[in-house]
């Protein structure tokens, strides 16, 4: 598959269509990466022409669902970057544990792996009962998967290694039951989760949180949109609350960054 | 070094490698001149752990500035950008870097194909890509794109590669502009001109 099939002008046409017809705004996404995803989908689904591709995306609601799912990156894993979860377990969540109630927002939760990881850590710290995890994504179909709490069994070896490296103390298999090729996670974990669609580009703040996790979402946005989303988060984090980003993301160039203090080596900042 | 009339125009140099490529890099880097007129991007397959090892290792062998590529960072001449482990590295039209955590390509993230392809569209005939030793076929599709956009395809002579499979697949699948022994690469790079 070669990235020659669709040019920049066509990408722009398509993204304008998507905004006008479906209300999803991808115009401030990093161009190279969204172009790659569009080109990939075009090749994958064997369209004979760009015109046909464009028409299908505009007019076929069912296909647009697929477009949305394929164009947004949904690759994630449980306990991704174990040292990050170690810092949550040791430095962040015990502090939040002193609060009467903990509200957490997992923004761009995709299929839910990070929300479930977080719930496991909360459970082990005896904090899950007084916590609520709001897991949101732009994409309704990944949320359907997230709600089910079932992940492919063949990933579980990696996940349990991550879990142990992150400071997990139990036998990871106590959290799920294997069902053919899927591992179904304990329902006490998602009993404390609220799943909802939320579009970081166009939707507003909907609550105040002590912790916001948004990992590997902002890398797909241009600088300006990143700053808009930081402002949205800023308006949604309580004083002394935390913001956690992906390992290659940073608050550094955002004008209000000086109002946040970095927690040790991880990409976690505390609002001052 | 004097520029020859035939020297190859280069706005950016991308080097891709997998198993066995580190030896070549360690051979090339001490011999690069320090005022290269273009950026170098390295896409090397490796494990996600030990992030800074490759950066430190190469930095100790060269006067060029070596660093891990950062999200939205601008490519600048004379600097070496290493694609971070576990992320794809893409190049934007304005020569900035986009990182991407999407599916592995050829079981690899970073994938050489991904960076070659995206750079091919941006730098077109002023792109030079070098593919080194390795034991899978990542990079071959990318080199086809480079070819299509008029960039220069350079492949390590498979006979001098510790793992010849990757350069071999490239030689079979793409028409290379140059096939180089590892000990000739530093000279070749020094003679590229912006």
């Amino acid at each position: 598959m070669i990235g020659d099939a669709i040019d920049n002008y066509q990408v722009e046409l398509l993204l304008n269509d998507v905004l006008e017809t479906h209300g999803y705004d991808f115009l401030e996404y990093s161009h190279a990466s969204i172009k790659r995803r569009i080109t990939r989908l075009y090749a994958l689904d064997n369209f004979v022409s760009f015109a046909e591709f464009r028409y299908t995306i505009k007019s076929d609601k069912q296909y647009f669902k697929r477009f949305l799912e394929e164009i947004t990156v949904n690759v994630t894993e449980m306990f991704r970057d174990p040292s990050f979860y170690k810092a949550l377990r040791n430095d962040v969540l015990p502090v939040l544990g002193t609060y009467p109630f903990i509200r957490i927002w997992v923004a761009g939760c995709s299929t839910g792996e990070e929300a479930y990881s977080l719930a496991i850590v909360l459970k082990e710290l005896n904090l899950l009962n007084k916590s609520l995890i709001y897991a949101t994504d732009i994409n309704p179909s990944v949320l359907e998967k997230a709600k089910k709490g079932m992940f492919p069994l063949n990933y579980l070896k990696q996940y349990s290694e991550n879990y142990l490296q992150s400071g997990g103390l139990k036998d990871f298999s106590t959290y799920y039951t294997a069902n053919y090729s899927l591992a179904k996670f304990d329902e006490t974990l998602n009993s404390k989760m609220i799943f909802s669609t939320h579009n970081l580009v166009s939707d507003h703040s909907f609550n105040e949180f002590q912790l916001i996790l948004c990992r590997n979402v902002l890398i797909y946005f241009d600088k300006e949109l990143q700053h808009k989303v930081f402002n949205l988060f800023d308006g949604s984090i309580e004083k002394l609350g935390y913001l956690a980003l992906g390992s290659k993301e940073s608050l550094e160039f955002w004008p209000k960054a000086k109002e946040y203090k970095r927690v040790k080596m991880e990409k976690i900042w505390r609002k001052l | 070094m004097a520029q020859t009339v035939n020297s190859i125009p280069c706005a950016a140099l991308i080097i891709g490698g997998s198993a066995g490529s580190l030896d070549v890099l360690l051979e090339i880097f001490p011999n690069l001149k320090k005022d290269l007129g273009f950026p170098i991007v390295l896409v090397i397959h490796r494990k996600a752990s030990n992030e800074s090892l490759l950066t430190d290792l190469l930095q100790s062998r060269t006067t060029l500035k070596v660093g891990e590529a950062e999200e939205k960072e601008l490519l600048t001449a004379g600097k070496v950008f290493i694609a971070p482990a576990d992320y794809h590295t893409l190049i934007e039209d304005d020569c900035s870097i986009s990182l991407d955590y999407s599916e592995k390509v050829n079981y690899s993230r970073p994938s050489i194909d991904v960076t070659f392809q995206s750079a091919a569209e941006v730098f077109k005939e002023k792109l030079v890509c070098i593919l080194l030793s390795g034991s899978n076929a990542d990079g071959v599709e990318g080199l086809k794109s480079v070819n299509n956009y008029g960039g220069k395809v350079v492949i390590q002579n498979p006979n001098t590669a510790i793992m010849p499979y990757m350069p071999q697949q490239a030689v079979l699948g793409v028409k290379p502009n140059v096939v180089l022994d590892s000990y000739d690469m530093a000279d070749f790079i020094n003679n590229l001109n912006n």
Side-chain angles (χ1 to χ4, degrees), chain A residues 1-4 8 30-33 35-37 40 75 80 216 219-221 223 226 247-248, chain B residues 51 68 71-72 84 87-88 90-93 98-103 114 117 121 141 145 148-149:
Chain A
M1 191 190 75
I2 297 177
D4 302 345
N8 292 344
S30 297
H31 186 84
S33 151
K35 181 177 178 184
R36 187 170 98 80
R37 312 241 7 118
R40 176 180 170 275
V75 181
R80 170 163 61 182
N216 285 340
I219 45 174
Y220 302 107
F221 296 172
K223 271 255 132 64
Q226 285 181 358
S247 66
K248 299 298 163 196
Chain B
E51 283 271 333
E68 196 162 272
E71 208 251 321
K72 305 288 188 288
Y87 287 80
H88 295 306
L90 300 158
I91 315 295
E92 299 283 345
D93 280 343
S98 281
L99 299 181
D100 177 317
Y101 193 83
S102 56
E103 307 84 349
V114 168
Q117 279 169 356
E121 294 179 39
E141 287 303 313
S145 285
N148 289 345
Y149 280 94

Side-chain angles (χ1 to χ4, degrees), chain B residues 57-68:
Chain B
L57 198 57
L58 291 177
Q59 185 64 82
S60 68
R61 312 281 172 118
T62 177
T63 49
L64 297 164
K65 176 103 185 66
V66 182
E68 196 162 272

Side-chain angles (χ1 to χ4, degrees), chain A residues 109-214:
Chain A
C109 71
S110 185
T111 38
E113 283 81 343
E114 301 219 69
Y116 284 85
S117 309
L118 199 54
I120 288 171
V121 182
L122 286 166
K123 192 171 181 190
E124 293 186 4
L125 297 173
N126 274 324
L127 298 173
L128 188 60
N129 281 332
K130 62 168 181 176
S131 304
L132 212 44
I133 299 171
Y134 294 76
T136 67
D137 201 275
I138 181 177
N139 184 343
S141 29
V142 294
L143 288 171
E144 285 307 314
K145 289 181 194 161
K147 272 181 209 166
K148 293 195 178 110
M150 295 202 275
F151 304 117
L153 202 54
N154 52 338
Y155 296 158
L156 267 289
K157 187 173 167 287
Q158 177 68 49
Y159 294 175
S160 79
E161 277 170 27
N162 288 357
Y163 165 77
L164 285 176
Q165 278 180 40
S166 77
L169 304 168
K170 296 203 176 169
D171 181 347
F172 195 55
S173 64
T174 58
Y175 290 110
Y176 61 85
T177 41
N179 226 330
Y180 298 100
S181 62
L182 292 170
K184 170 141 183 56
F185 277 73
D186 192 340
E187 284 182 1
T188 54
L189 299 173
N190 60 13
S191 67
K192 292 294 181 177
M193 297 179 193
I194 295 169
F195 296 94
S196 163
T197 55
H198 183 277
N199 187 337
L200 289 168
V201 181
S202 54
D203 293 344
H204 295 286
S205 175
F206 58 96
N207 213 329
E208 279 227 306
F209 301 94
Q210 282 96 31
L211 169 62
I212 297 178
L213 248 83
C214 183

